[in-house]
Amino acid sequence: MKLRLGTRKSLMATTQSQQVADRLTALTGRTVELVGITTLGDVSKAQLSQLGGTGVFVSELRTHLIEGDIDFAVHSLKDLPTAADPQITIAAIRLRDDPRDALVGAVKLADLAPGARVGTGSPRRIAQLRALRADLEYVPIRGNADTRIGKVTAGELDGVVLAAAGLARLGRDGEIAQLFDTDEMLPAPGQGALAVECLTGRPDLVELLSALDDARTRAAVTAERAVLAALEAGCSAPVGAYAADDGHTLNLTATVVAIDGARAVRKSASGPRTAAMDLGRELAVAMIAQGAGTLMGAH
């Protein structure tokens, strides 16, 4: 019997869903068909922060899971709300692709002329970009990667900032002018990783999908998302976090940046992979003690 994989209809979503489907078939022999689903986040022109964050992409797919229309779903992990839904299990987190942010355009950020227009829909990116170049104009944009890159090609914008992983999955990484190192710009918690979800009440499917799981990626993103959850921030708040795994230890760094880029709280901590959740929570507490909560209110 074919497994039905629910996916948003965008090229990015169907591409990454097909990659997961192909890998699952290779590992288990089960055939998978993609089922395209339209979400509010795909059809609304409002900014994501106005729609309630990137969870708008997730809720529709989860509804179809719960109603039995599909067997499992693939999400960009950075879109998933940090609050757990007891009906849903993240059965697998795939080996992470490049977690960094990328600038698409003709030149690097440092080489853009003062007043140049850079597009991004993310308050996290805008805040950190302003910290690097306060003299540029940051333009909120929506739309898929092709639409955003098209604004640069058409001359409407001088650059756009997108996730490097998504560009690579679409074969557009040749258009990247600059990859931002994590010391310049911390990615969104979970950026570059794909989450595979199914119903908690289907333990056979949870077990089957677990073949796709990468334990090191899971530990790293668990720490990052624990920071976000403990800061009580939605996905649109200016929070960046990245955990590097050296084989034994997780090295976690997180930041909260005021939206004007003028002030930030940035802290790092290390701990064993087995204590990823605690590592993230404890780092968030330390950040709150240094005033992170007041910065988050600076929208």
Side-chain angles (χ1 to χ4, degrees):
M1 203 168 86
K2 277 187 179 177
L3 291 171
R4 298 160 301 165
L5 168 51
T7 176
R8 289 165 56 201
K9 292 179 180 177
S10 70
L11 179 61
M12 180 87 72
T14 54
T15 300
Q16 59 196 32
S17 292
Q18 190 62 57
Q19 289 171 357
V20 170
D22 292 345
R23 184 66 182 147
L24 185 66
T25 301
L27 288 170
T28 68
R30 295 292 298 270
T31 54
V32 180
E33 66 173 337
L34 265 53
V35 178
I37 292 164
T38 301
T39 73
L40 174 64
D42 293 313
V43 295
S44 173
K45 291 290 184 281
Q47 290 302 310
L48 277 186
S49 49
Q50 295 170 333
L51 290 172
T54 48
V56 294
F57 293 134
V58 175
S59 55
E60 195 75 24
L61 287 171
R62 285 183 167 175
T63 298
H64 284 272
L65 262 182
I66 290 162
E67 291 177 352
D69 302 327
I70 56 175
D71 297 301
F72 67 114
V74 174
H75 307 281
S76 293
L77 184 62
K78 67 182 173 64
D79 291 346
L80 281 189
T82 52
D85 182 334
Q87 296 179 88
I88 307 285
T89 291
I90 299 177
I93 296 174
R94 301 279 292 123
L95 177 67
R96 188 181 218 165
D97 294 314
D98 192 333
R100 292 175 294 177
D101 291 299
L103 175 67
V104 173
V107 297
K108 293 183 176 182
L109 191 74
D111 298 326
L112 285 168
R117 291 163 54 83
V118 176
T120 172
S122 157
R124 172 192 60 82
R125 289 180 180 137
I126 291 171
Q128 294 186 90
L129 286 164
R130 280 187 178 140
L132 296 169
R133 286 289 306 268
D135 61 331
L136 302 182
E137 183 185 349
Y138 297 105
V139 181
I141 53 169
R142 284 290 313 277
N144 61 36
D146 282 337
T147 301
R148 296 183 190 205
I149 294 169
K151 290 181 185 296
V152 178
T153 312
E156 289 178 51
L157 296 171
D158 299 292
V160 291
V161 180
L162 298 159
L167 289 165
R169 288 178 199 133
L170 291 175
R172 303 290 297 264
D173 44 339
E175 295 166 72
I176 293 172
Q178 179 179 357
L179 285 165
F180 293 101
D181 288 330
T182 53
D183 58 354
E184 295 176 295
M185 190 184 308
L186 280 170
Q191 185 163 307
L194 297 177
V196 184
E197 288 190 330
C198 68
L199 291 181
T200 307
R202 294 192 59 184
D204 56 323
L205 190 53
V206 173
E207 186 177 351
L208 182 82
L209 295 173
S210 70
L212 295 165
D213 193 62
D214 181 73
R216 285 172 69 159
T217 299
R218 185 180 279 266
V221 300
T222 295
E224 294 163 17
R225 285 166 57 77
V227 173
L228 184 61
L231 289 171
E232 296 181 334
C235 290
S236 292
V239 177
Y242 178 61
D245 186 333
D246 65 9
H248 306 285
T249 305
L250 281 179
N251 300 295
L252 173 65
T253 301
T255 189
V256 176
V257 187
I259 201 71
D260 62 4
R263 296 172 300 139
V265 173
R266 182 185 179 107
K267 287 190 74 67
S268 298
S270 298
R273 196 189 297 165
T274 51
M277 184 79 76
D278 291 338
L279 181 66
R281 286 177 181 153
E282 288 162 14
L283 187 61
V285 168
M287 292 172 72
I288 290 166
Q290 288 199 359
T294 59
L295 292 186
M296 287 169 63
H299 284 277

